[in-house]
């Protein structure tokens, strides 16, 4: 089955007039490629639009459960599911929204994209001076889509693994802080 057949939306946004200088420090988030990591979303450097700018980009409004995919540059093929605390948001021209239809599970599709990253990178590097995935390329991707029950089961397992990874990342951060504190205390005595 083609990705274009199982998504109700595949599309990227635009940068408001004025480029980076047009962004605000508050308002409606605009998601850029630096925010989309493999399997996760980073709020670092998140930019914002005012209401008027956001209205002009209403056709690229991000919805709950959307998959975000970087489609240009060095970060091409990085993908994640948009976190609910960022919505409502828009995307710029370097990020595509993939919105699965009911018969497709977003986490399953994200896993498929991540496990087929080599294919995406190969497609992105074909025929252009800069890495890029086009809407046509994405729509034409063949994806082996099992029943929704199997997709949901696989997605549930993936979510459990991702939760464990996130917990380990937090634990490692805590342990690093404790180690620095202990090291600092040792230097003082």
């Amino acid at each position: 089955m083609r990705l274009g057949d199982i998504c109700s939306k595949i599309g990227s946004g635009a940068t408001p007039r004025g480029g980076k200088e047009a962004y605000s420090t508050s308002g409606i988030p605009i998601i850029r490629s630096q925010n989309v990591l493999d399997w996760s979303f980073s709020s670092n450097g998140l930019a914002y639009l005012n209401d008027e700018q956001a209205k002009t980009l209403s056709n690229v409004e991000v919805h709950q459960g959307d998959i975000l995919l970087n489609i240009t540059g060095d970060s091409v093929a990085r993908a994640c599911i948009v976190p609910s605390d960022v919505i409502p948001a828009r995307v710029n021209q370097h990020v595509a929204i993939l919105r699965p239809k009911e018969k497709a599970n977003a986490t399953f599709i994200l896993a498929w994209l991540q496990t087929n990253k080599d294919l995406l990178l190969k497609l992105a590097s074909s025929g252009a001076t800069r890495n890029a995935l086009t809407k046509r390329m994405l729509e034409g991707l063949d994806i082996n889509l099992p029943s929704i029950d199997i997709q949901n089961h696989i997605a549930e397992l993936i979510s459990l693994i991702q939760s464990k990874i996130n917990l380990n990342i937090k634990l490692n951060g805590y342990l690093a802080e404790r180690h620095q504190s202990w090291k600092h205390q040792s230097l003082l005595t």
Side-chain angles (χ1 to χ4, degrees):
M1 183 167 284
R2 292 174 350 125
L3 189 61
D5 296 331
I6 60 172
C7 288
S8 62
K9 180 173 190 64
I10 297 178
S12 61
T15 299
R17 289 180 191 232
K20 291 180 193 176
E21 291 74 32
Y23 295 143
S24 303
T25 55
S26 63
I28 296 176
I30 182 160
I31 298 169
R32 303 178 291 167
S33 59
Q34 69 193 57
N35 304 117
V36 178
L37 307 177
D38 285 327
W39 291 102
S40 65
F41 183 88
S42 173
S43 295
N44 292 342
L46 191 60
Y48 297 89
L49 304 171
N50 63 38
D51 289 339
E52 185 178 316
Q53 293 167 316
K55 189 175 182 180
T56 64
L57 293 176
S58 62
N59 62 326
V60 289
E61 182 175 350
V62 179
H63 295 178
Q64 181 76 32
D66 282 353
I67 300 163
L68 305 174
L69 175 68
N70 286 350
I71 56 173
T72 63
D74 293 337
S75 66
V76 71
R78 288 194 318 211
C80 68
I81 294 177
V82 67
S84 58
D85 62 343
V86 176
I87 298 170
R90 309 294 189 266
V91 296
N92 74 4
Q93 73 273 18
H94 303 291
V95 179
I97 298 169
L98 307 177
R99 185 168 300 140
K101 293 179 182 176
E102 287 181 21
K103 62 182 175 181
N105 181 295
T107 301
F108 181 87
I109 294 173
L110 174 62
W112 187 91
L113 291 168
Q114 293 292 281
T115 58
N116 288 280
K117 192 165 184 164
D118 287 343
L119 169 65
L120 296 175
L121 291 171
K122 185 177 178 183
L123 283 172
S125 66
S126 63
T129 56
R130 178 175 143 165
N131 289 342
L133 291 167
T134 65
K135 180 178 181 177
R136 179 175 280 174
M137 288 175 184
L138 296 174
E139 289 173 336
L141 286 172
D142 282 322
I143 180 169
N144 186 7
L145 196 67
S147 72
I148 191 65
D149 291 337
I150 292 173
Q151 290 177 62
N152 289 340
H153 181 69
I154 292 169
E156 191 176 311
L157 293 173
I158 290 168
S159 294
L160 289 171
I161 293 167
Q162 283 301 120
S163 293
K164 185 74 162 176
I165 290 169
N166 291 337
L167 184 60
N168 285 340
I169 289 169
K170 286 180 184 176
L171 180 59
N172 287 341
Y174 171 76
L175 292 173
E177 285 177 23
R178 297 298 303 153
H179 177 70
Q180 287 291 19
S181 176
W182 174 80
K183 197 170 150 180
H184 181 70
Q185 291 293 330
S186 296
L187 291 174
L188 293 176
T189 56

